[in-house]
Amino acid sequence: MAHSSRSLKAQLLRHDVLLLLVLALEIAYFLNFARNFGTPDNLSNIVRHSAEIGLLALAMMPVILTGGIDLSVGSLMGLCAVLFGVLTHDLHWASLPAASLTVAAGLVAGAFNASVITLLRLPPLIVTLGTYSLFRGLAEAITQGTKTYRSFEPAFLQLGELRPAGLPLQAWILGVGALGFYVLVHRTTFGRSFRAIGFSPEGARYAGLPVLWRTALPYLLAGGVAAVAALLFTARLRQARADAGTGYELAAITAVVLGGTSIFGGTGTVYGTVAGIAAIAVLNNGIGRIPAVLKAGIGGELASLLTGALLLIALAAPGLSKLLQSVRKQSTLPASANPSPSPTH
Amino acid sequence: MKRSQFLHSLLVLPAAFLLPGCNKPETGASAENASGAGKKLTIAFMPKSKGNSYFINCEKGAREAVKELGVDLLFDGPTNTDPAKQNEIVENWITLGVDVMAVACENKEGISGALKKAQEKGIKVVTFDSDTTPDARSFFVSQATAQGIGEGLMDEAARLCDEEGEFAIITATLTAANMNEWRKHIEARLAEKYPKMKLVDTKPCDDQKDKAQQETTNLLGANPNLKCIMAICSPAVPGAAEAVKQAGKAGAVKVLGLGLPSENRAYLKDGITQSVILWKVADLGYLALYAAHALGSGALKTGDTSFKAGRLGELQVDSGGAIILGKPFVFNKENVDQFDF
Amino acid sequence: MNRYFRELSVAGALVLLLALLGIVAPQFFEPQPLLSRLTAQVPTLVLTIGIAMVMITRQIDISVGSQFGLCAVLAGNLLTGGLPLPLALPLAATAGAAMGALNGCLVAWLGLPSIVVTLATMVTWAEVLRLTQQGRFINLPAGVQWLGLSQAAGQTALLAASLALLAAMAWLLKNRSGGRHLYAVGSDAEAARLSGINPKATTFWVFVFMGALAGVAAVCNLVQSPQVDPKCGTGLELKAIAAAVVGGIAVNGGRGSLWGAFVGLLLLATINPALTFLHVEAYWEKAIQGAVILLAVVADGIRSRRNAS
């Protein structure tokens, strides 16, 4: 299995290359068949609308890479949004200190997840299932379910509309986030160990890696990023409500897995995640602009269905080809050379 | 090695943009009818959520108006009530170059920014069912004011209970903006006019009939003196009625709410539910579309005090830009069969 | 005692809560409303049985809520179209089993992670349901509610049937080799394979069974009122998983009992009515449920660390 002599076909069949092809196909198709898809306004809308989920997906990627998962990021968005509302409206703080404290709170929440998961060695799925309810529940309790915070400082609300150098602010933030996570995961020894930990935590520990601390960091970061996403969301929507971010955790996981990160941990790339985010965002936007779909008004449903199908195909393809290969191999072997042991009962 | 391969593959992306037939942005509703008074209007219509029979009926009325007026209709909305999604859809419509938008706003303040952007681009805006801030729209088509709905519900409940006793409210979710408006008015009316009545609890049912049934069962058990259940979200009305029936308290505990006659017909006839208040939902959609069309074609301008809306006749416009469909209608045992929605 | 520590401590918490209710709000125990409340939990119990089995096998299934909704709407529409009532249950179970088979194929034969597969199928079935039914209620024909029996008889029948199912499955898991296979595959699939169990087949069939149970649960829900709300399945997967987790089913597979999951369900399902009877505001519900789940899980973690050291 010499890497240097990989055939073109093998190179093309790599997950991230295929994903980029799908993305290119989507863009080409929508440019031709979807109304006003390629206009600068629409392109910037695509970025603005997917900024929060994009940030969550970037933060989710190292979590999944280390073999964990975080279901609580969407609920944390709601809690942080509400917290920001309380600070600015009930306590009359200015936007900047309120935003800083909100991000700090997000980090604290992430640290809570991190400590329960690493110190108590509990399965991340279950711990974050609990905090998924707890965070949302706290947000609802603080607002008594009903309170919506409106009328923020105009300077803060500008965040939703700013276009430094012509690109929406969200694009800059996503770019910085993607770069930051890329550097962390791929260019630091610290981050490179994520892959090792995800692949084999025990092996990593025997190799002398401080597994506990390194497994904790992604959850910590996820908490902080969820807070930033909450601030962006609040600025764009001009309101803070307890139900902010509902369902975003699943969308983030979808983008990460679509981008080639194995849910079992151990493999994955940040640029794959970015491609995953892009593929889903473009699909969501473009589908609804095809004239026939526009007339029928089923853009949202179709986008969800296709995203689900895309995810399944992306996951199934390598498995299917392996299955086909093994079937082909078995059929070419002579019966006597069949090495499979007869099971003992 | 992996990274450079990836970067090489990125080169594929710009190629997508250079493919032949790459479209230039189309401005205006359709590239063919480029000019003039004969241009077909494109009206974009957004409910609060698409999976809700109330808004499906609104859509029916709107489509009836579309046929009569000969306009192009774009219908879209979030699948569940989702203010973020509504904003995104509005922003997408701006880039599609629609002429008029008719929107039922889940979130008053939040959507105003997006609607104002639309207005800046020359797109006209009307709201229906739930309003936004007045500066973000030209007109608001309302089935009744929030105050009218809240007070109507409270007055009807008081009538059924002889103005004394305990009652409870079932709402959809604690965050639903228009229901919170109604609850405010219900509670205000309660404090103002009915000192002998008491609101003991308010429970959310997540817009699900079965959950409303369970919550009502709990309420009936926890509050033995409960005299009335007020269900203000439409799936909750049959749910609450079923709970009252199963608890054997039909008649002793009154049930009323905002709901569709078709979902409550059996309970009304059996006397379990006494009153279902609503309005002709399809008419609301019909009127909203007519208002949108009139606004888009210039027949309706700010400051007008009335306009004609097809088969609904002449309707008043108040100084705040609100066009009221009429008073809420009370469906009961006697008249429910006349309606099929 | 140590072996059943989790089940017993959850039961203990439940008893404490019931005692509190008995003191402060004794009308909680009035028989007829209590029967109604318990019967309302029958669909969730059936789902919990299935989810517990899936989790013991070290998988997860978050699509059961969508399966439930789709089966309910399918059965409802067929009943309205003239299907005889006795056929509703097998039909719904078959439809559910088919959906479960899709999950099973992707997870067992293609080796895809179950959380992602069931995420995709959950969204797919939910969208199909929305596109076809569009939120319209289904008015069921007369004679369907309570299976044509009186309310009390129908409720008792449903409750008894679900408890019988629980007892049967609990016994099967413990005493029949087919049941033990689930634990074996959940603990160590490779070791199971080497001892002659087929982990892929086991995994496949557990998803099929889960789907069938989703159909059964949908019918159990359907016969409790004269209308079907297409949104009836929303959020049920989380309820079932939370019940299983609180009741001691380990998400890493290989541990836990159905009776534990049952007690977990009872505890979590008591929180909502308890809030009403204790006159606590509704907006505390999610926070309390989240806290209970975390407490259960953290207690587990502390205990296992203490045992390990």
Side-chain angles (χ1 to χ4, degrees):
Chain A
M1 273 251 285
H3 288 264
S4 53
S5 59
R6 235 188 237 170
S7 69
L8 181 64
K9 181 170 168 200
Q11 289 196 348
L12 274 180
L13 283 180
R14 272 190 45 217
H15 190 116
D16 26 7
V17 176
L18 278 176
L19 185 59
L20 276 181
L21 268 173
V22 168
L23 181 60
L25 279 171
E26 280 179 8
I27 294 177
Y29 184 76
F30 291 138
L31 278 175
N32 279 294
F33 294 107
R35 256 216 266 165
N36 288 3
F37 179 77
T39 59
D41 267 348
N42 188 46
L43 291 176
S44 80
N45 274 348
I46 295 179
V47 177
R48 289 176 63 244
H49 295 169
S50 53
E52 295 90 16
I53 296 184
L55 282 174
L56 291 182
L58 285 170
M60 186 76 79
M61 187 266 169
V63 172
I64 296 184
L65 187 61
T66 54
I69 197 164
D70 189 344
L71 294 177
S72 67
V73 288
S75 309
L76 187 53
M77 259 184 78
L79 183 56
C80 290
V82 164
L83 219 61
F84 184 70
V86 167
L87 289 171
T88 51
H89 285 63
D90 297 335
L91 298 179
H92 305 293
W93 284 28
S95 296
L96 190 54
S100 315
L101 189 62
T102 305
V103 174
L107 288 169
V108 167
F112 178 75
N113 275 334
S115 39
V116 176
I117 291 172
T118 54
L119 293 177
L120 293 178
R121 312 274 178 91
L122 293 173
L125 185 67
I126 297 307
V127 172
T128 55
L129 186 66
T131 46
Y132 164 85
S133 287
L134 183 67
F135 293 158
R136 185 74 65 192
L138 285 175
E140 286 185 4
I142 294 175
T143 56
Q144 301 197 343
T146 55
K147 193 163 167 63
T148 306
Y149 294 99
R150 310 186 164 102
S151 18
F152 292 93
E153 274 176 29
F156 173 72
L157 290 178
Q158 275 304 307
L159 286 180
E161 306 296 327
L162 272 182
R163 289 190 189 215
L167 284 178
L169 181 67
Q170 285 88 345
W172 290 101
I173 295 184
L174 267 178
V176 166
L179 197 64
F181 275 100
Y182 169 73
V183 166
L184 173 68
V185 173
H186 293 284
R187 307 302 271 172
T188 59
T189 25
F190 192 101
R192 290 232 195 89
S193 65
F194 288 162
R195 200 166 288 149
I197 294 169
F199 194 72
S200 165
E202 282 307 307
R205 190 164 332 121
Y206 287 138
L209 289 171
V211 173
L212 278 191
W213 167 226
R214 297 198 180 179
T215 325
L217 185 69
Y219 293 99
L220 193 68
L221 283 177
V225 169
V228 173
L231 291 170
L232 275 183
F233 188 77
T234 305
R236 181 162 66 90
L237 251 76
R238 305 150 84 98
Q239 68 160 10
R241 247 163 60 155
D243 62 0
T246 308
Y248 281 21
E249 61 282 326
L250 289 182
I253 293 173
T254 306
V256 171
V257 175
L258 188 64
T261 305
S262 163
I263 198 96
F264 299 120
T267 49
T269 59
V270 170
Y271 37 85
T273 305
V274 172
I277 299 167
I280 295 177
V282 165
L283 185 64
N284 279 342
N285 178 285
I287 277 282
R289 304 173 82 87
I290 298 175
V293 176
L294 206 50
K295 256 195 137 55
I298 53 173
E301 288 91 333
L302 214 51
S304 294
L305 265 174
L306 287 174
T307 308
L310 194 59
L311 185 62
L312 280 178
I313 297 174
L315 290 173
L320 259 178
S321 68
K322 238 187 270 171
L323 200 66
L324 285 173
Q325 273 183 352
S326 67
V327 165
R328 220 179 294 146
K329 229 185 272 177
Q330 280 207 327
S331 65
T332 58
L333 280 173
S336 56
N338 193 326
S340 58
S342 49
T344 51
H345 282 284
Chain B
M1 187 201 82
K2 277 192 190 164
R3 188 169 52 115
S4 61
Q5 275 191 325
F6 184 83
L7 288 177
H8 291 154
S9 352
L10 270 182
L11 290 176
V12 134
L13 278 179
F17 282 87
L18 295 172
L19 276 180
C22 207
N23 59 359
K24 292 193 267 317
E26 304 166 19
T27 50
S30 55
E32 306 94 66
N33 318 345
S35 71
K39 188 167 88 111
K40 221 181 182 198
L41 277 182
T42 301
I43 301 181
F45 193 86
M46 171 158 30
K48 274 203 225 172
S49 79
K50 282 196 282 188
N52 186 321
S53 357
Y54 175 85
F55 284 107
I56 292 176
N57 281 293
C58 262
E59 186 198 347
K60 268 200 215 141
R63 291 205 185 263
E64 183 193 340
V66 164
K67 260 203 223 114
E68 287 173 17
L69 290 169
V71 294
D72 273 333
L73 180 71
L74 293 184
F75 178 80
D76 202 0
T79 37
N80 294 311
T81 56
D82 181 348
K85 203 90 191 61
Q86 283 205 320
N87 269 36
E88 290 169 21
I89 295 177
V90 168
E91 289 178 347
N92 280 329
W93 279 344
I94 297 175
T95 60
L96 282 169
V98 302
D99 297 308
V100 193
M101 294 188 196
V103 181
C105 309
E106 169 64 19
N107 162 33
K108 188 174 184 161
E109 266 265 347
I111 204 171
S112 67
L115 290 176
K116 274 191 240 185
K117 269 196 264 185
Q119 290 184 314
E120 281 163 24
K121 298 251 164 118
I123 301 175
K124 306 279 200 305
V125 176
V126 303
T127 50
F128 71 99
D129 182 78
S130 314
D131 202 3
T132 177
T133 54
D135 57 351
R137 50 82 173 151
S138 306
F139 294 97
F140 168 45
V141 177
S142 175
Q143 57 280 22
T145 56
Q147 191 174 357
I149 295 170
E151 292 182 356
L153 278 167
M154 188 67 240
D155 289 343
E156 183 67 10
R159 186 184 73 83
L160 292 172
C161 296
D162 294 321
E163 298 193 15
E164 67 172 318
E166 297 180 352
F167 74 105
I169 296 180
I170 310 270
T171 179
T173 57
L174 295 175
T175 48
N178 64 338
M179 287 183 209
N180 287 342
E181 275 287 302
W182 299 339
R183 279 168 57 199
K184 229 179 37 191
H185 289 290
I186 292 172
E187 289 170 21
R189 187 71 155 183
L190 170 68
E192 172 202 344
K193 276 187 88 174
Y194 305 111
K196 287 203 258 179
M197 291 189 75
K198 180 164 172 243
L199 173 62
V200 292
D201 214 343
T202 304
K203 290 285 185 187
C205 74
D206 295 337
D207 222 30
Q208 289 180 42
K209 170 183 77 79
D210 297 332
K211 186 138 200 273
Q213 186 175 328
Q214 289 169 28
E215 295 288 357
T216 309
T217 307
N218 294 338
L219 285 168
L220 290 170
N223 302 287
N225 295 324
L226 200 60
K227 270 181 88 171
C228 174
I229 303 272
M230 191 192 287
I232 63 178
C233 85
S234 63
V237 193
E242 184 63 25
V244 166
K245 175 174 167 211
Q246 289 188 14
K249 298 206 169 160
V253 176
K254 312 285 180 198
V255 179
L256 80 149
L258 292 172
L260 295 170
S262 60
E263 289 173 2
N264 294 287
R265 197 184 310 271
Y267 294 110
L268 280 169
K269 292 218 170 137
D270 288 342
I272 301 170
T273 306
Q274 280 66 37
S275 317
V276 172
I277 300 176
L278 204 62
W279 35 90
K280 305 255 193 66
V281 181
D283 283 354
L284 184 65
Y286 182 89
L287 179 58
L289 203 79
Y290 258 87
H293 176 258
L295 185 59
S297 63
L300 178 62
K301 294 178 290 296
T302 329
D304 283 357
T305 50
S306 73
F307 87 108
K308 193 163 179 323
R311 62 172 169 77
L312 292 176
E314 190 90 8
L315 280 152
Q316 303 302 319
V317 182
D318 78 6
S319 55
I323 306 171
I324 310 283
L325 180 63
K327 288 180 79 89
F329 192 84
V330 181
F331 302 100
N332 55 31
K333 187 195 292 209
E334 282 80 43
N335 63 27
V336 70
D337 276 330
Q338 301 167 23
F339 305 97
D340 66 346
F341 65 95
Chain C
M1 155 73 186
N2 236 350
R3 215 169 134 217
Y4 296 108
F5 183 75
R6 162 53 76 67
E7 289 85 342
L8 288 174
S9 43
V10 174
L14 179 62
V15 165
L16 277 175
L17 182 56
L18 290 175
L20 175 65
L21 283 166
I23 299 171
V24 177
Q27 63 268 37
F28 186 85
F29 297 98
E30 254 171 68
Q32 192 277 325
L34 188 60
L35 182 62
S36 280
R37 280 200 299 277
L38 286 172
T39 317
Q41 296 303 323
V42 162
T44 315
L45 173 60
V46 174
L47 284 180
T48 307
I49 294 174
I51 275 279
M53 289 169 63
V54 168
M55 287 171 72
I56 288 175
T57 326
R58 208 177 190 173
Q59 306 292 346
I60 197 153
D61 189 342
I62 56 176
S63 68
V64 293
S66 302
Q67 290 176 348
F68 181 95
L70 209 52
C71 290
V73 164
L74 184 68
N77 279 325
L78 287 173
L79 282 169
T80 320
L83 182 79
L85 182 58
L87 287 182
L89 186 65
L91 218 107
T94 314
M99 290 188 271
L102 176 62
N103 285 336
C105 278
L106 294 170
V107 175
W109 308 120
L110 287 183
L112 301 178
S114 53
I115 180 136
V116 179
V117 166
T118 55
L119 172 61
T121 50
M122 166 179 93
V123 169
T124 308
W125 301 135
E127 297 299 342
V128 165
L129 185 58
R130 234 187 300 268
L131 279 172
T132 51
Q133 191 60 23
Q134 298 202 332
R136 286 184 303 252
F137 277 25
I138 303 173
N139 288 322
L140 294 168
V144 170
Q145 192 174 7
W146 304 126
L147 305 164
L149 306 167
S150 75
Q151 178 180 320
Q155 286 178 330
T156 319
L158 277 174
L159 212 49
S162 61
L163 288 172
L165 178 66
L166 172 67
M169 294 314 303
W171 186 85
L172 277 173
L173 278 189
K174 202 165 160 227
N175 295 29
R176 277 276 163 271
S177 59
R180 303 303 315 169
H181 285 183
L182 294 183
Y183 287 96
V185 169
S187 306
D188 189 335
E190 186 58 17
R193 190 186 68 82
L194 288 172
S195 41
I197 301 173
N198 187 338
K200 293 192 179 172
T202 310
T203 309
F204 175 76
W205 286 113
V206 90
F207 276 102
V208 171
F209 190 62
M210 175 78 251
L213 282 182
V216 169
V219 171
C220 288
N221 192 43
L222 192 140
V223 298
Q224 294 193 36
S225 80
Q227 289 165 315
V228 177
D229 176 356
K231 289 205 262 3
C232 55
T234 317
L236 280 184
E237 62 281 332
L238 286 181
K239 274 205 194 133
I241 293 174
V245 165
V246 168
I249 305 282
V251 85
N252 283 334
R255 277 198 299 116
S257 75
L258 288 185
W259 289 111
F262 175 58
V263 180
L265 176 63
L266 283 180
L267 178 62
L268 286 177
T270 309
I271 292 178
N272 176 284
L275 290 182
T276 311
F277 278 83
L278 297 173
H279 298 292
V280 175
E281 296 281 0
Y283 50 77
W284 284 108
E285 184 177 340
K286 277 213 188 99
I288 295 180
Q289 289 201 322
V292 169
I293 296 174
L294 278 176
L295 257 168
V297 172
V298 167
D300 232 9
I302 294 181
R303 202 172 63 85
S304 65
R305 295 213 69 196
R306 215 185 295 152
N307 282 351
S309 56

